Structures are given as structure tokens and as C-alpha cells.
Amino acid sequence: MIGLAGLAAAAICAGIIWQLSKAERFQLFGRLIYTVETTKPVVALTFDDGPSRKYTPQVLDVLRQHDVKATFFVNGDPASGASQVMSQIVADGHELGNHAYTHDRLIFVSPDRVRLHLMHTDQVIRAAGHSGDIHFRPPYGAKLFSLPWVLSQQGRLTVTWDVAPEEGAGSTAAEIAANAVQSAQPGSIILLHPHWRGNDQTRQALPAIIEGLREKGFEPVPLRDLLEMQGQ
Ligand SMILES: [Zn+2]
């Protein structure tokens, strides 16, 4: 008999594991950053998921018009079907990051499965012309044992965020932009999802986010540049 105390302990353990899996600022192994320690007024715009052949070019247009470089954490599966868009992201001077092959939660999966997600997505990113490190962002920010373990073995950096302006369902473009600009601090990593059909409010918010950040005296830079300003 497990008994009531045993069941309660199991429930507490499950609760702890669940909280641990979705912690944005902590993982069990390897290096994770959610912001960069700097006094310089710089932030990174990071775009998750996709890319999409239809909507990502609109994002690239806005970035080009505002002369902003950003970081795209792509899923290998849609990326492999959008090679022109992928090459354009790199040609425009943006940075690519790995967001796993599909958008499954990588918890309770084997290390081998994690390695395949990383490897197949890296291949698509390299084929697009990306050089230099490829950082990783977990789908849903979810990680538990095997994912951080493999990442640490590969010496790979996990990047989450400290500003998620789309949080709160039904956010309008104006609300998303205001959230992003108000929450941004020196070294902030801002999370946005601009790639799919349902993300039109985020796409509409993007010019106001860039303009608002600049009015506040902040310049958006790719993650690779932000990381170099660590401690400065
Ligand atoms: Zn995602």
C-alpha cells in the first residue's frame, strides 16, 4: 500500500517536475541565459517558430525598413520547406538559432531523440549559410533531464527570455508594443512569434516595438552581439 502520504509525496514530486520543466530561468545542466548582464542600452529581438514562406518575408521587410538585425529561432521542419526564406534571413544579416525540429515538448524523451532534433535543425540552418555558434531555445521553454544534458555535452547555450510581450490572450498590436517597450531593460531578450497566420497582431506591432525601443534609447541587436556585451 502506498497510502495517502505516499500519494501526496508523488503529487508534490510531479508538481516540482512540472514547475522545473517550464522554468524560464533555470535548467539542471549546461548554461542558460534569459538576459545579458550589461549596462549598455541594447536588447535582442528574438523570433520563435517558423519560418513561413508567406509571412516571414513581411517580417524581413519591416526589419530592413528599420535597419534592424534580429535572431530567428526556427523549427527544422518548416525551415526545410522554406529554403529561400531561410537563405534570405542569413543574406539580410540576421542570426539563426535552433528551436528543435518540430514544436514538441522535449521532456521525457531520450537523449538520442534530442540529438536528432538538434542535428537535423542544425543542418537546415547551415544549409541556409549561417556560420558561427547555433544557440538553442526549447519549444515552450520546456526542458527537464535529457535535453539540458545533451545541450551541456555539446557545450551549447540555452537561450530563453526575460520579456514576453504577447503573454495574455487577445493582446492587440498596441498592447504588445507597449508591453515590449515598457518591459525592456539593458540586455533584455525579447520573445516574439511573428511567423504564422494567427500572429498578425505581433507583425503589426513590430514597427512600433522598434520605434518605441529607439525612443527609449535602446537599440535592438542580434543575440550574438548582445552576448559580446556581457559584463560591459
Ligand atoms: Zn516556439
Side-chain angles (χ1 to χ4, degrees):
M1 284 283 285
I2 298 172
L4 215 53
L7 281 177
I12 289 167
C13 277
I16 289 170
I17 285 175
W18 174 244
Q19 290 299 328
L20 183 63
S21 77
K22 61 190 190 117
E24 284 152 18
R25 303 188 174 191
F26 175 80
Q27 67 184 11
L28 283 170
F29 312 103
R31 201 155 79 87
L32 176 148
I33 61 156
Y34 58 90
T35 182
V36 167
E37 297 274 336
T38 180
T39 54
K40 292 183 188 289
V42 286
V43 296
L45 294 178
T46 63
F47 303 127
D48 275 21
D49 310 344
S52 127
R53 277 178 297 184
K54 182 160 183 190
Y55 296 104
T56 306
Q58 298 174 14
V59 176
L60 291 173
D61 283 347
V62 171
L63 296 175
R64 206 174 298 126
Q65 283 156 16
H66 289 81
D67 194 19
V68 166
K69 309 289 185 229
T71 302
F72 292 71
F73 283 98
V74 296
N75 292 121
D77 188 13
S80 65
S83 55
Q84 269 196 326
V85 175
M86 286 290 286
S87 300
Q88 193 63 53
I89 291 172
V90 175
D92 284 2
H94 304 297
E95 178 179 15
L96 287 168
N98 189 321
H99 193 41
Y101 198 75
T102 59
H103 208 280
D104 295 327
R105 235 175 259 279
L106 293 181
I107 56 176
F108 306 119
V109 291
S110 70
D112 278 347
R113 192 165 164 70
V114 170
R115 282 187 203 102
L116 286 174
H117 268 277
L118 293 172
M119 186 180 77
H120 288 147
T121 307
D122 279 355
Q123 284 168 352
V124 184
I125 287 172
R126 292 292 181 213
H130 175 96
S131 57
D133 292 340
I134 302 176
H135 304 309
F136 183 76
R137 175 170 284 163
Y140 306 104
K143 63 226 147 351
L144 203 50
F145 304 115
S146 55
L147 175 59
W149 171 246
V150 172
L151 291 168
S152 73
Q153 276 188 326
Q154 297 185 355
R156 201 189 283 252
L157 181 66
T158 305
V159 180
T160 56
W161 56 85
D162 65 323
V163 177
E166 298 155 322
E167 268 175 17
S171 295
T172 63
E175 286 166 346
I176 294 169
N179 278 351
V181 174
Q182 280 162 20
S183 308
Q185 302 292 324
S188 277
I189 299 172
I190 301 171
L191 167 68
L192 293 164
H193 298 83
H195 296 294
W196 300 119
R197 193 154 70 109
N199 302 131
D200 59 313
Q201 294 301 307
T202 294
R203 285 192 296 280
Q204 282 180 36
L206 194 51
I209 292 173
I210 296 167
E211 287 155 20
L213 286 170
R214 284 179 170 161
E215 272 167 34
K216 196 175 164 174
F218 284 60
E219 186 59 24
V221 299
L223 204 54
R224 59 179 176 236
D225 294 3
L226 192 62
L227 287 167
E228 289 199 352
M229 295 179 206
Q230 182 122 33
Q232 293 178 18

